[in-house]
Amino acid sequence: MLDVNDFIKDRGGDPDKIKESQRKRYAPEGLVDEVIALYEEARKTRYEATQVGSKINELKREIGTLKKAKKDADEQLAQKTALEKEKNTIEELAQQKELLRDKTIKRIGNYVHDTVPVSNDEVSIAHVSLQNRELMSSLQENNKLIRTWTPEGVTLEKKDCLSHHEVLTRLDGYDPERAVKIAGHRAYCLINYGLLLNQALIQYGLAFLFKKGYKLNQPPYFMLREQMAKTAQLEQFDEELYKVTEGDDTTKDKYLIATSEQPISALHCDEWLTDKDLPIKYAGYSTNFRKEAGSHGKDAWGVFRVHQFEKIEQFVFIKPEDSWQAFEDMIATSEEFYQSLELPYEIVAIVSGALNNAASKKYDLNAFFPFQNEMKELVSCSNCTSYQTRELEIRYGAKKETAIKKSYVHALNSTLCACERTLCCILENYQTEDGFKVPEVLRKYIPGEPDFLPFVKELPKNTTSEKVKGKNAGGVKQKVEAAATEAAEKVKDLKI
């Protein structure tokens, strides 16, 4: 959340700056005025409580004087009791107004960084044909292309190949049918080399970050509601998070995590960090759980978009003045990881209207899927500045009693590897006609260190790639028939 002082001019704030950021987000500016009004209401109510407190203090002095003189003070004592009750009522009202004020502040997003492309249209170039991607990136109506990387000798083009779930099927690497019977839609069992490849990605990813000085951390897979509410947006509770209850006691309600970013962001809540403590660089590893409520029918093949998956996350606490360099360093670390896997990718800057509330700026890394001839998101990297740490009360710097504004550490997060999704990309890019080439960096993490895995299973009839071929063939047939009909008509009209 933003600092309440940022809304108040008398306390050094600039509400117009917040409104400008809201406009960039295509979010309501009126919320800023609501906060200011609620601040004034709460301040006036607090002042009323102070005035009543002054009356109570006067009565206390009067009561003391009467008692010293051994005179009756019953009337004054009754007045004091009534005023104390009145003061408590006013303070409760002030607290309610402050809670409403802070709740409104939480609906307002972080300051949008000056370099973020301003647009409310997230038509990503990832879903545009490769030929038109450079043209689209020059427009301001979509995510902005920052850079691309392609292994030497690789051409990005639509290939006559299998989709990732078909490769996994032919390797006998997963069993979705039986998993769906026991767990429902989007459930899966990774088996045999499917499981070993996923575990290889996990081991390689953790080793990759450990060598770069990150602290490895496997956090709890669920969080108390009170803590989750400080790091997750309100809509995530309905659209993303699974709830775990213990009887009728709602104070014990917990939520399964959707990313290790959530528990790791709260690890240092209510702590005061100084220069000697920073930076703190975590490599979070967890199994994650997401409802995917808004994704019905989207990316339904295989293990690309599922309710349960493994992920390795970079999470960094750092001095405020160093956070933007850390942002560039973290996306560079993710790029190095995918270059080591030799997966073609692009880096795009996400438009202002698509940023989540916490992010001041976000880059995505989209990698190439040859069957679909598309770039798909594998990494998101965000600088959340002090937005998360303020609510979690993770302070920064020397303690200053006279400071009007508190100082907080900055927090950044970046995916290193969403394992099942990355596995899908590897499966499409490393397939051959008769099997799968194991990426060199993963081989030592698989028993026997294989460099090639042959297909051991046939595809069922009417599988995805066969349907696509049939559709394309049907299109070609229609074009041929139309051309033949047109030619026949022209011949019929010829006069000799």
Side-chain angles (χ1 to χ4, degrees):
M1 61 186 290
L2 296 180
D3 191 328
V4 65
N5 293 303
D6 288 358
F7 294 81
I8 311 304
K9 289 182 179 180
D10 292 345
R11 300 183 71 82
D14 186 354
D16 290 335
K17 182 180 177 182
I18 303 174
K19 287 182 178 181
E20 174 62 23
S21 182
Q22 284 290 94
R23 283 194 291 271
K24 289 181 178 179
R25 288 179 175 273
Y26 295 82
E29 294 177 54
L31 289 174
V32 179
D33 294 323
E34 285 184 38
V35 170
I36 294 170
L38 288 166
Y39 172 86
E40 284 300 319
E41 286 182 28
R43 186 187 63 80
K44 288 176 181 177
T45 308
R46 284 287 178 193
Y47 181 72
E48 287 178 28
T50 303
Q51 294 295 94
V52 175
S54 297
K55 293 178 181 179
I56 292 170
N57 290 334
E58 288 177 12
L59 280 169
K60 284 180 178 178
R61 287 191 290 269
E62 187 179 343
I63 291 166
T65 301
L66 289 170
K67 284 187 174 181
K68 280 183 181 180
K70 295 184 179 180
K71 294 182 178 180
D72 180 50
D74 289 349
E75 183 181 343
Q76 287 79 2
L77 286 168
Q79 289 177 10
K80 183 172 86 65
T81 300
L83 284 172
E84 286 174 340
K85 185 177 180 181
E86 181 184 351
K87 184 186 177 187
N88 288 337
T89 300
I90 295 171
E91 285 180 336
E92 287 177 7
L93 179 60
Q95 188 176 29
Q96 290 173 10
K97 290 180 178 180
E98 287 166 352
L99 288 171
L100 181 57
R101 177 200 68 196
D102 292 345
K103 188 176 181 180
T104 307
I105 290 175
K106 290 177 189 178
R107 293 167 59 194
I108 296 171
N110 200 352
Y111 293 106
V112 176
H113 194 263
D114 292 341
T115 58
V116 172
V118 177
S119 174
N120 197 31
D121 186 356
E122 200 193 6
V123 177
S124 175
I125 54 177
H127 302 293
V128 178
S129 66
L130 292 168
Q131 293 80 1
N132 293 328
R133 189 167 287 128
E134 290 187 9
L135 173 63
M136 285 293 291
S137 68
S138 67
L139 303 176
Q140 285 298 308
E141 296 179 351
N142 53 264
N143 298 333
K144 182 180 178 182
L145 180 66
I146 303 300
R147 56 184 169 269
T148 63
W149 184 86
T150 305
E152 188 176 349
V154 173
T155 303
L156 303 190
E157 60 185 5
K158 169 71 175 172
K159 295 179 181 177
D160 182 12
C161 62
L162 302 180
S163 178
H164 51 82
H165 69 292
E166 295 174 313
V167 179
L168 199 54
T169 297
R170 295 215 63 191
L171 290 172
D172 194 23
Y174 87 132
D175 184 351
E177 290 82 8
R178 292 185 177 90
V180 168
K181 281 197 300 186
I182 60 174
H185 182 54
R186 294 187 190 267
Y188 64 96
C189 295
L190 285 178
I191 60 176
N192 303 324
Y193 278 112
L195 174 58
L196 291 172
L197 284 165
N198 202 53
Q199 289 295 315
L201 271 173
I202 294 167
Q203 294 302 314
Y204 175 55
L206 291 173
F208 186 88
L209 289 182
F210 186 71
K211 290 175 183 177
K212 290 185 175 291
Y214 283 73
K215 295 181 178 181
L216 305 187
N217 191 302
Q218 183 176 340
Y221 288 179
F222 49 75
M223 294 175 67
L224 295 168
R225 179 184 173 82
E226 179 186 1
Q227 292 296 325
M228 181 66 87
K230 293 177 182 179
T231 189
Q233 289 184 206
L234 183 63
E235 57 267 25
Q236 288 181 283
F237 282 89
D238 297 324
E239 296 178 7
E240 188 173 280
L241 301 176
Y242 287 103
K243 185 177 180 180
V244 180
T245 60
E246 294 183 32
D248 297 327
D249 188 354
T250 58
T251 62
K252 293 182 180 180
D253 286 353
K254 299 179 179 69
Y255 287 84
L256 295 176
I257 64 172
T259 167
S260 63
E261 172 200 340
Q262 291 163 342
I264 289 176
S265 69
L267 284 180
H268 296 276
C269 65
D270 301 318
E271 294 183 21
W272 200 310
L273 304 176
T274 62
D275 288 348
K276 66 180 177 62
D277 302 311
L278 301 170
I280 303 173
K281 299 165 63 177
Y282 284 113
Y285 164 70
S286 62
T287 298
N288 310 287
F289 307 89
R290 295 188 186 181
K291 289 181 183 177
E292 297 286 2
S295 304
H296 181 71
K298 185 178 180 182
D299 295 314
W301 298 340
V303 297
F304 184 86
R305 187 183 294 274
V306 287
H307 296 304
Q308 173 189 321
F309 59 96
E310 283 68 49
K311 184 156 74 85
I312 299 167
E313 185 85 8
Q314 302 176 66
F315 197 96
V316 173
F317 294 105
I318 200 163
K319 294 188 291 184
E321 61 266 31
D322 293 341
S323 70
W324 287 108
Q325 182 57 53
F327 176 76
E328 297 295 337
D329 292 344
M330 291 167 75
I331 192 65
T333 295
S334 294
E335 288 186 67
E336 183 183 339
F337 180 77
Y338 288 94
Q339 287 177 18
S340 74
L341 289 167
E342 298 191 359
L343 295 175
Y345 67 80
E346 65 188 11
I347 302 296
V348 295
I350 301 302
V351 295
S352 56
L355 293 174
N356 64 305
N357 275 0
S360 176
K361 182 177 180 177
K362 183 167 79 164
Y363 279 164
D364 278 1
L365 182 151
N366 302 320
F368 183 59
F369 283 68
F371 174 76
Q372 296 163 78
N373 194 30
E374 282 186 4
M375 295 281 190
K376 288 182 172 290
E377 178 200 328
L378 296 187
V379 169
S380 281
C381 178
S382 300
N383 188 352
C384 299
T385 63
S386 58
Y387 193 90
Q388 292 173 311
T389 53
R390 180 172 289 104
E391 186 161 6
L392 290 161
E393 201 61 26
I394 307 175
R395 301 287 298 278
Y396 166 71
K399 297 183 179 181
K400 298 177 183 178
E401 298 295 333
T402 59
I404 294 177
K405 294 183 71 172
K406 298 177 182 179
S407 183
Y408 295 89
V409 299
H410 280 196
L412 304 93
N413 63 84
S414 178
T415 317
L416 182 81
C417 182
C419 300
E420 281 80 358
R421 184 172 288 202
T422 300
L423 176 59
C424 291
C425 189
I426 291 171
L427 289 167
E428 282 202 15
N429 281 277
Y430 278 82
Q431 64 179 291
T432 68
E433 288 188 7
D434 53 358
F436 171 78
K437 294 187 296 183
V438 180
E440 186 175 351
V441 294
L442 300 183
R443 293 170 190 171
K444 68 178 181 179
Y445 300 102
I446 300 173
E449 300 188 16
D451 57 4
F452 182 79
L453 302 175
F455 289 144
V456 295
K457 192 174 179 181
E458 293 299 323
L459 291 174
K461 291 182 179 180
N462 295 321
T463 190
T464 304
S465 57
E466 291 299 322
K467 287 180 181 177
V468 170
K469 286 179 183 177
K471 184 178 179 181
N472 291 340
V476 171
K477 183 179 179 182
Q478 288 176 358
K479 288 179 181 178
V480 170
E481 289 176 347
T485 302
E486 183 181 356
E489 290 296 322
K490 288 180 178 179
V491 170
K492 186 175 68 174
D493 293 338
L494 283 177
K495 295 181 180 178
I496 302 176

